[in-house]
Amino acid sequence: MTELRFTEEQRDCLQELINVAMGLASDKLARYLNTFVHLQVPAIRLVDTEQLPEHFASRYEQQSVTMISLGFFGDQGLRGETIMLYQLANVDVIAKLLGYSNDDSSEAEMLTDISSVLTTTFLNGLAEQLENSFSYAAPRILSSRDQHFADKLASTAEQWQLALQVDIRYQLTDYSFNCDMILLIPGEAMMRLRLILDQFLASF
Amino acid sequence: MQLDWLVQPLLTQLNTGVLVLDAAHNIVYFNQFIARRADIQLSDVSGRLVYDIFADAPKAWLQRKIDGVLALQSPAFSSWEQRQYIIKLPHLRPVSSGSQHMAQNCSMLPFKAPNSAEQFVCLLIEDATDAYVYQQQLQHSMAQLELANRTDGLTGVFNRRHWQHELGQEIQRAKRYQHPLSLLLFDLDKFKQLNDQYGHQGGDAVLIELSGIIAALLRDTDVLGRYGGEEFGVILPETDMAGALLVANRICAAAGHQMLFNGHYINATVSIGVSSFSGQTIDELIQQSDIALYNAKRQGRNQAVAWQQQPETYLKKVK
């Protein structure tokens, strides 16, 4: 597995690209949501997929968590899956954020909607940075109101070699919410990603 | 090789609905999939607002989604699992499906015209009716399984496992809200004799009829379950001892009627033990009703007896 690791430089480069992508996304989101959105610079960590479930289980402890997956495909074998984790206590805030009233959308629909907005906006920015473009599969709910979501996360994560944990924290004027995004990338796509990062580094 | 000629026949044959809107949500294009199912012609509705043509579409929601696609230049999705359909279209399985309308998965994709910067949104609508129908069948089977899992096969009342689970819940509720709660345990008198005389089918018939008679006497919130062979339990939420004894006596009176089985009149009576919740555990509460039930039997059967604190020695004798 060691050959799949990033070098220090590659990781810094990726962090930088993600920061830029996140910046692009927050700008678009602020305009779309028509409110002052303060997106903090995301904290990014490369995580061992084996450690992921444990990490998130302790992070959310006994709280109800909804887990939503969205797959993406790019050119040249770049592909992966994003997983968004939400605390259900945040659902009302998300509804307000999207301008939904309670009666016209279900909780599941609100969560899949916010997930596709957050992930595709961010990933489009990332694709742009990588001089690629992504197409997306519809988001789907992996588990909901589930205290044992870590088990499902384990069975999802074990198919992937690299996990990139991105903490996203949204702060709006009157309320705030945060959610976690995990970027899962398979081994072949990661090799490809490393090549692209090397090209980037060479051009500086 | 020039492949432009392929696009039109492909769009026509495609088994997916393609509906293109401009930035003002006016209809620009749709393919045959939509034209045939919605029975509209592009030449008639081109340039019209999509919400005017598909008046049943969830306007506010769809507007927000499409504006999002345009503003963010990123796709949006809708799944039949969350929203069965966006525009009402018939599907091709009218007989096998319980629903009249096509269940739809929809992707909404942003497009820009290559020469102008004009923006468009393309709605791809896929027929997910099959998945929808299978899901409905699955849910129906699950509901039936769940019911079977809770029900006593012979009498149709709750089985012991579910009944005891309900009792646990009611105890929690009574404790939390300081509400009264009572428990009846009752037993058919001389059931063995009855079985010997009329056979097990006779015994079964009595159990079935008795369950029906008693269920009819209870409120919707009362919970009747078969505890064991000829023993039943009734959970009476919001009911104190006096109220529970009233119900118990009513059950005794109703059960005392003769039942007809194979031309014979069977005389069945019940004995009932009554206890009320005052902080006991589930096992203690059941035990108290059980002791009261034994006392009802000792005192001559066909009656309801309330649980009372008994001297230690007497308890041992009963057991």
Side-chain angles (χ1 to χ4, degrees):
Chain A
M1 275 313 216
T2 38
E3 78 274 13
L4 281 176
R5 303 248 172 256
F6 282 113
T7 66
E8 195 92 343
E9 283 169 318
Q10 286 168 334
R11 205 177 53 204
D12 289 349
C13 182
L14 184 61
Q15 167 89 53
E16 193 49 40
L17 292 179
I18 285 175
N19 287 353
V20 174
M22 214 28 115
L24 291 172
S26 69
D27 182 51
K28 276 186 179 174
L29 284 171
R31 267 183 285 162
Y32 169 58
L33 299 171
N34 206 13
T35 175
F36 291 106
V37 181
H38 180 61
L39 258 171
Q40 288 179 349
V41 174
I44 294 163
R45 293 199 311 141
L46 277 170
V47 218
D48 198 330
T49 47
E50 283 172 20
Q51 291 164 358
L52 260 185
E54 212 175 289
H55 171 75
F56 281 100
S58 64
R59 188 178 167 97
Y60 287 106
E61 284 184 356
Q62 292 304 306
Q63 302 173 79
S64 288
V65 170
T66 292
M67 196 162 94
I68 292 166
S69 147
L70 186 140
F72 62 94
F73 292 84
D75 290 328
Q76 296 159 310
L78 213 53
R79 65 185 178 94
E81 179 175 354
T82 56
I83 292 183
M84 304 287 287
L85 296 166
Y86 299 91
Q87 287 170 33
L88 280 160
N90 278 326
V91 168
D92 286 345
V93 181
I94 294 168
K96 261 190 216 163
L97 191 71
L98 287 173
Y100 281 7
S101 57
N102 290 332
D103 47 339
D104 71 347
S105 287
S106 65
E107 180 183 288
E109 187 167 43
M110 280 189 285
L111 288 172
T112 48
D113 277 1
I114 188 83
S115 296
S116 79
V117 166
L118 295 180
T119 44
T120 57
T121 315
F122 163 70
L123 286 170
N124 276 350
L126 186 62
E128 211 175 292
Q129 297 301 301
L130 297 171
E131 289 165 5
N132 208 309
S133 76
F134 293 152
S135 51
Y136 305 96
R140 83 202 140 86
I141 297 177
L142 294 182
S143 76
S144 191
R145 299 196 165 280
D146 203 343
Q147 287 174 6
H148 305 287
F149 72 99
D151 297 338
K152 288 198 178 93
L153 184 56
S155 60
T156 308
E158 74 182 8
Q159 304 168 42
W160 308 92
Q161 280 77 43
L162 172 76
L164 210 56
Q165 185 197 328
V166 186
D167 287 350
I168 312 175
R169 185 162 279 112
Y170 287 85
Q171 286 183 320
L172 291 94
T173 1
D174 300 327
Y175 37 85
S176 66
F177 89 96
N178 54 296
C179 58
D180 282 293
M181 178 162 90
I182 308 164
L183 210 53
L184 296 163
I185 297 170
E188 326 88 82
M190 193 174 145
M191 308 267 239
R192 178 70 214 162
L193 188 57
R194 284 200 313 181
L195 283 176
I196 296 171
L197 293 175
D198 284 340
Q199 285 165 16
F200 250 91
L201 288 165
S203 66
F204 280 113
Chain B
M1 191 179 157
Q2 178 62 257
L3 290 177
D4 286 355
W5 62 270
L6 246 176
V7 177
Q8 264 317 311
L10 248 175
L11 279 170
T12 304
Q13 297 291 323
L14 201 62
N15 210 12
T16 296
V18 180
L19 172 63
V20 181
L21 310 177
D22 66 17
H25 305 200
N26 295 316
I27 293 175
V28 172
Y29 171 82
F30 50 78
N31 68 348
Q32 184 180 275
F33 180 96
I34 303 235
R36 286 194 171 160
R37 283 165 179 79
D39 194 19
I40 47 173
Q41 293 300 318
L42 184 58
S43 52
D44 295 338
V45 301
S46 174
R48 302 269 306 273
L49 252 183
V50 66
Y51 315 106
D52 292 345
I53 304 307
F54 298 102
D56 294 322
K59 187 176 174 184
W61 172 85
L62 190 56
Q63 259 174 335
R64 219 159 30 211
K65 291 280 259 197
I66 291 171
D67 285 336
V69 173
L70 290 164
L72 298 169
Q73 285 294 300
S74 64
F77 303 93
S78 170
S79 159
W80 62 269
E81 286 177 278
Q82 275 96 54
R83 193 173 286 273
Q84 197 194 334
Y85 49 80
I86 292 178
I87 53 179
K88 265 188 193 171
L89 298 174
H91 58 74
L92 302 177
R93 289 163 200 78
V95 184
S96 60
S97 154
S99 161
Q100 288 177 278
H101 303 295
M102 181 200 291
Q104 297 162 1
N105 282 330
C106 181
S107 308
M108 305 169 199
L109 310 171
F111 280 100
K112 266 185 187 143
N115 303 321
S116 62
E118 210 187 335
Q119 294 188 346
F120 299 92
V121 174
C122 175
L123 278 71
L124 297 179
I125 295 166
E126 285 170 73
D127 186 346
T129 307
D130 280 342
Y132 174 78
V133 170
Y134 293 141
Q135 171 91 346
Q136 297 276 304
Q137 287 170 349
L138 185 68
Q139 273 173 355
H140 181 67
S141 308
M142 295 283 277
Q144 280 185 320
L145 265 177
E146 208 184 308
L147 187 67
N149 207 20
R150 285 185 279 147
T151 310
D152 173 57
L154 179 69
T155 59
V157 302
F158 288 134
N159 61 24
R160 176 173 176 167
R161 196 176 49 77
H162 183 71
W163 181 81
Q164 215 157 332
H165 173 75
E166 289 288 304
L167 180 59
Q169 303 279 65
E170 289 299 341
I171 285 179
Q172 290 292 328
R173 222 163 294 165
K175 204 185 284 180
R176 194 178 313 136
Y177 302 112
Q178 304 275 306
H179 284 187
L181 168 70
S182 294
L183 175 65
L184 313 183
L185 276 186
F186 62 88
D187 199 297
L188 251 138
D189 294 328
K190 299 185 172 168
F191 187 64
K192 189 179 175 309
Q193 222 168 300
L194 203 143
N195 269 329
D196 290 345
Q197 199 175 343
Y198 301 101
H200 285 284
Q201 280 172 328
D204 285 353
V206 171
L207 290 177
I208 292 167
E209 185 152 352
L210 187 71
S211 306
I213 290 171
I214 291 167
L217 289 176
L218 300 174
R219 303 166 298 182
D220 283 351
T221 47
D222 300 334
V223 187
L224 171 64
R226 188 174 174 197
Y227 193 73
E230 73 273 25
E231 200 170 340
F232 292 81
V234 181
I235 307 165
L236 299 168
E238 307 289 334
T239 310
D240 60 13
M241 178 58 88
L245 276 169
L246 269 175
V247 177
N249 284 320
R250 223 178 291 151
I251 291 174
C252 275
H257 287 288
Q258 289 185 323
M259 301 173 196
L260 191 61
F261 173 72
N262 272 357
H264 300 281
Y265 281 104
I266 300 180
N267 235 332
T269 61
V270 295
S271 301
I272 306 181
V274 188
S275 66
S276 275
F277 177 69
S278 55
Q280 306 95 310
T281 64
I282 180 167
D283 289 341
E284 284 164 356
L285 193 64
I286 290 175
Q287 199 194 15
Q288 289 176 2
S289 283
D290 216 19
I291 291 167
L293 171 58
Y294 271 98
N295 288 340
K297 295 265 183 194
R298 289 168 62 96
Q299 288 168 28
R301 301 189 177 88
N302 191 18
Q303 57 187 283
V305 169
W307 180 80
Q308 286 169 3
Q309 186 73 54
Q310 303 284 353
E312 208 54 18
T313 48
Y314 185 65
L315 271 182
K316 273 178 192 152
K317 230 166 35 185
V318 172
K319 277 182 173 175

